[in-house]
Amino acid sequence: MKLIIAYIQPEKLNEVKQELLKEGIMKMSVTNSLGCGQQGGYKESYRGVETEVNLLQKMRIEIAINDEFVDKTTNAIIRGAKTGNIGDGKIFVLDLVNCIRIRTGENGSDAIG
Ligand SMILES: Nc1ncnc2c1ncn2[C@@H]1O[C@H](COP(=O)(O)OP(=O)(O)OP(=O)(O)O)[C@@H](O)[C@H]1O
Ligand SMILES: [Mg+2]
C-alpha cells in the first residue's frame, strides 16, 4: 500500500479530480495548504499581501491506494495539474503500513479498496 501526497495549484483541483475519476479513483482527502518549493515562493505570481516568509496557497491531496494503482494515480494527477510552469506542484509517494476501516474492522488492502 502507498500513500500519495500531492501539492497542486488550487485552480487545478477540479481537473485533477476529473482525471482521477476517469481512472476510477474516488477516495481522497483534500485540504488547503501553504507552502513553497525551490523558488521559495518568490517567482510565482502572488495575489496577496507580501510576507517575510512567502508561502503560497496550494491544495494538498492525499490518496491511499494499493501498489498497482500508483502509476495510474500519479499520472492522473500530472495530467490534471501540469501547465509546464514553475509551481505546478509535487507528488510524494510513501509506503503505507496499514489502513483500518473503523466500521467493519477490515485491515490493509481490504480496507483501502
Ligand atoms: N521538498 C518539499 N517538501 C515539502 N513540501 C514541498 C517540497 N517541495 C515542494 N513542496 C510543496 O509543493 C508545493 C509546490 O511546489 P513547487 O511545484 O513549487 O515545487 P518546486 O520544487 O519548486 O518545482 P518548480 O521548480 O516546478 O516550481 C509547494 O508549495 C510546497 O507546498
Ligand atoms: Mg516552485
Side-chain angles (χ1 to χ4, degrees), residues 36-39 44 86-87:
C36 59
Q38 63 181 351
Q39 292 81 20
E44 300 177 44
I86 58 170

Side-chain angles (χ1 to χ4, degrees), residues 7 34-39 44 58 85-90 92:
Y7 297 93
L34 292 175
C36 59
Q38 63 181 351
Q39 292 81 20
E44 300 177 44
K58 303 285 171 179
N85 298 320
I86 58 170
D88 271 355
K90 207 168 254 182
F92 300 91

Side-chain angles (χ1 to χ4, degrees), residues 43-91:
K43 287 189 181 162
E44 300 177 44
S45 68
Y46 183 62
R47 296 180 294 272
V49 179
E50 285 289 332
T51 55
E52 194 180 333
V53 181
N54 201 19
L55 298 171
L56 303 174
Q57 188 71 51
K58 303 285 171 179
M59 300 307 288
R60 174 186 163 110
I61 304 170
E62 289 170 73
I63 303 173
I65 40 157
N66 286 309
D67 289 358
E68 59 268 32
F69 290 97
V70 170
D71 289 346
K72 272 186 180 184
T73 305
T74 54
N75 288 333
I77 293 169
I78 292 165
R79 280 199 307 276
K82 184 171 176 177
T83 67
N85 298 320
I86 58 170
D88 271 355
K90 207 168 254 182
I91 303 172

